[in-house]
Amino acid sequence: MTQVQTRSAAVAPAAAGPTQRRPFFGRAREAATGWLFVLPFAVLLVAFLLLPMAYAFKISLYRSTLIEGEVFAWFDNYQQAIDDPLVREGVLRVLIFGLIQTPVMIGLALLAALLIDAATSRFSRVFRLAAFVPYAVPVVIGTLMWGFLYSKSIGPLAWTGIDFVGSDTVLASLGNIVTWQWAGYNMIVLYAALQGVPKEIYESAKIDGAGQVQIALRIKTPMISSALVLATLFTIMGTLQFFTEPLILQPLNPGAITQHYTPNVYAYNQAFSFQQYNYSAAISFLLGAVVFVGSYIFLFATRKRSALR
Amino acid sequence: MTAIAAFTAVTLVACGSDAAETPEKPTGPVTIKVWAWYPEFQGVVDLFNKTHSDIKIEWTNAGTGQDQYTKLQTALKAGKGAPDVAMLELQEIPTFQLTKHLVDLGKYGANDVKGDYVDWAWKQVSTGDQVYAIPVDAGPMAMMYRDDIFSKYGLTVPKTWDEYKAQAEKLKTASAGKSFITDFGANDGGFMTGLMWQAGAQPYSYDIANPTNIGVNVNSAEAKKVIEYWEGMVNGGLADSTAFHTTDFYNGLNTEKYATYLAAGWGPGYIQANAAKSSGKWKVAPLPQWTAGENKQGDWGGSSFAVTDQAKYPDIAAKVAMEIFGAKNTEAWKIGIDKAFLFPTATPVLESADFKNKEYEFFGGQKVNEVFVPAYNAIGPFSWSPFNSYNFNQLTTNLNQAIEKKTSWTAALDTAQENVKTYATQQGFQVQ
């Protein structure tokens, strides 16, 4: 944002000024070049995000039934979604999930990034790759794999007698999968940010008598706070849209992982299992609004740290 | 025989008044897209393509059960992308029929093959002269039991559900709780419905001919009888409640955890594939009865071929639906029976000596169709709702939660009844 503002501020007076030297034609060509660069993104944005969103919004205003067909229903579907206890249950669940899982995973990612940054041996390179590998495994495969590990009869943890997919434990088990999958990814983001911190700062801190731990906590962590905010933001957005893992694990214990386990799973089932496309679109749109507002609140709360003012 | 069927199809089309529905035939062979998930289906497709020069089947496995229905519903809703011929389980036909996406095969000669199927199976796919699919396989139920476990603990083969429970108790004590008489998979709506069907439950009264009216009776006395029985079995530690078709479930069949498996005709195929170690140790006995000496049966699963409204040449697609696993297509059925453990719905195949006397290695050489065929013939009529996904979802969700939270199973059935009624009303049905 800051960048954009400075640039427009620099351009505006030049355009308005009487000593304008560049001909209009040149500026137009410059603008056209700019548009040309943006064009591929713009086309994709319109084709795969804005148009589908507009379509989803349109169908969310209709209501179709198996017998009576489609009628315009204004915001009835939204009203129904807000009143639907199953939607609320799902939203509450992902909020609880996010409150616990996000700090745990970001904390782990930060710890790993700091450790790798501090270590200089060849081992750190191997470790960096190893921590990143789960991210390279497709979510579906990773979840199926954990499904086997959680098995009561053939899983390696079967001897503990713990039912990892019982109604009390399954949320934690899902959190474990998500952490496994994404901690490495976030670690790479944070590690990359650490690489950008000037090394001289560490040297001066050392001269001032700071140890490795103090450097990590008092210098490195604050210096990469904008990367931390970014990683957390992505995690929050991902959490609210929690979908693949519960959907894949569902067959293991449908009593614990219900078909309305998360709002996204619920919307999916409404559309594709029960042919309630309109209601599903309304739930999805509401969820999108919650994600937007949630991300905004988070950005606002951390605006001093995020450099995204 | 293909020539005759083709001839019939062509003449019927020629006589019919629906000229608009049959565009001119192209000169080359017509490609018909088929979605199906039958095991060992490639061989059947190859066979069809080899014996037909004018039709070429292009087969896709678009997923099993609900996975495929999801894709199919989406493609039908979108107006393109659906196959010409799709595999549909019998309970799904009203759903797809209500949205008018199935072609009436009666117009293309399907009624000529009606005589090849028993009454209850044909009624599942038709109303009057309108035929919405050609049945392929069915799921008559029987009790598969582990002969080795039965003799190890001195169990006798139960004939009634009371005896079954008595054997379960005996097994629990004798094995010190290591073995269960069976696993009750509350995640499979078809399985539970099959057991309720046997007890005489009729959760829905629905006729495609009168599509706006539906009777909902999910929590009937018969259904409750079945559910109460299994509530007692599971809560008493006599039956396990691991979800069906999971790793833990197959592992239980492979080891000595489960002494019986209340299976459908197609069940052994899946066990052979997923619990191979138990092969040869199984035997089959009829499903226990509620009243001694009776022969009441229910069906679990089974599927059919339907032609979608996106078929460009519905007459040729209908021909594929009728012939690919047709009653007279003995070569295809050889693959279906020997390799895929399908249970045929066509009586000529069922009654053939080959099928009746087939000795199955998986069952230690037992002629299991001596059990499955009489079970198939004794299945009573049954009607499904046009929103079966929701129906099964309510059954499984509520019962699974009752198991998980140790609450009343019959109360869960009452909840399912209420939810289904609400859903049906919202969808515009007149609910009785």
Side-chain angles (χ1 to χ4, degrees), chain B residues 173-184:
Chain B
T173 324
S175 72
K178 271 188 196 146
S179 293
F180 295 91
I181 191 77
T182 194
D183 182 41
F184 185 81

Side-chain angles (χ1 to χ4, degrees), chain A residues 66 151-153 167 253 259, chain B residues 248 251 389 393 404 426-427:
Chain A
L66 288 171
S151 161
K152 266 184 285 186
S153 58
S167 46
N253 189 350
Q259 300 217 356
Chain B
D248 286 336
N251 188 59
S389 296
N393 171 260
E404 194 66 33
Q426 276 175 357
Q427 290 296 328

Side-chain angles (χ1 to χ4, degrees), chain A residues 55 63-68 70 80 89 147-148 150-155 163 165-168 250-256 258-260 268-278, chain B residues 66-67 69-70 73-74 77 95 98-99 186-187 206 211-212 240 242-244 246-249 251-252 257 386-387 389-391 393 396-397 400-401 404-405 423 425-429:
Chain A
Y55 179 69
R63 172 159 282 198
S64 70
T65 60
L66 288 171
I67 295 298
E68 285 143 353
E70 206 157 58
Q80 191 190 337
E89 193 189 312
F148 278 103
Y150 288 153
S151 161
K152 266 184 285 186
S153 58
I154 60 156
D163 180 5
V165 289
S167 46
D168 303 329
Q250 206 206 11
L252 297 185
N253 189 350
T258 53
Q259 300 217 356
H260 51 268
Y268 171 85
N269 281 316
Q270 286 296 336
F272 298 112
S273 300
F274 313 143
Q275 286 89 54
Q276 310 228 61
Y277 298 96
N278 309 86
Chain B
Q66 191 59 49
D67 291 344
Y69 303 140
T70 301
Q73 285 283 9
T74 314
K77 173 102 182 153
T95 305
L98 182 71
T99 45
N187 63 325
Y206 182 73
T212 54
D240 192 24
T242 298
F244 272 169
T246 59
T247 317
D248 286 336
F249 165 68
N251 188 59
K257 190 172 176 186
F387 38 79
S389 296
Y390 192 81
N391 159 32
N393 171 260
T396 55
T397 302
N400 274 305
Q401 287 195 299
E404 194 66 33
K405 294 175 181 162
Y423 177 86
T425 313
Q426 276 175 357
Q427 290 296 328
F429 290 95

Side-chain angles (χ1 to χ4, degrees), chain A residues 129-215:
Chain A
L129 185 68
F132 189 67
V133 160
Y135 176 69
V137 177
V139 180
V140 174
I141 310 283
T143 311
L144 284 173
M145 187 195 82
W146 276 102
F148 278 103
L149 295 178
Y150 288 153
S151 161
K152 266 184 285 186
S153 58
I154 60 156
L157 295 170
W159 57 270
T160 58
I162 298 170
D163 180 5
F164 288 98
V165 289
S167 46
D168 303 329
T169 49
V170 74
L171 198 59
S173 302
L174 286 167
N176 175 46
I177 300 177
V178 175
T179 306
W180 174 83
Q181 188 104 44
W182 292 92
Y185 169 81
N186 287 309
M187 180 208 73
I188 294 289
V189 171
L190 300 179
Y191 178 73
L194 280 174
Q195 298 299 298
V197 178
K199 302 278 182 259
E200 298 81 32
I201 298 180
Y202 304 153
E203 277 167 30
S204 50
K206 261 184 215 156
I207 293 167
D208 288 346
Q212 285 290 350
V213 176
Q214 272 177 314
I215 290 178

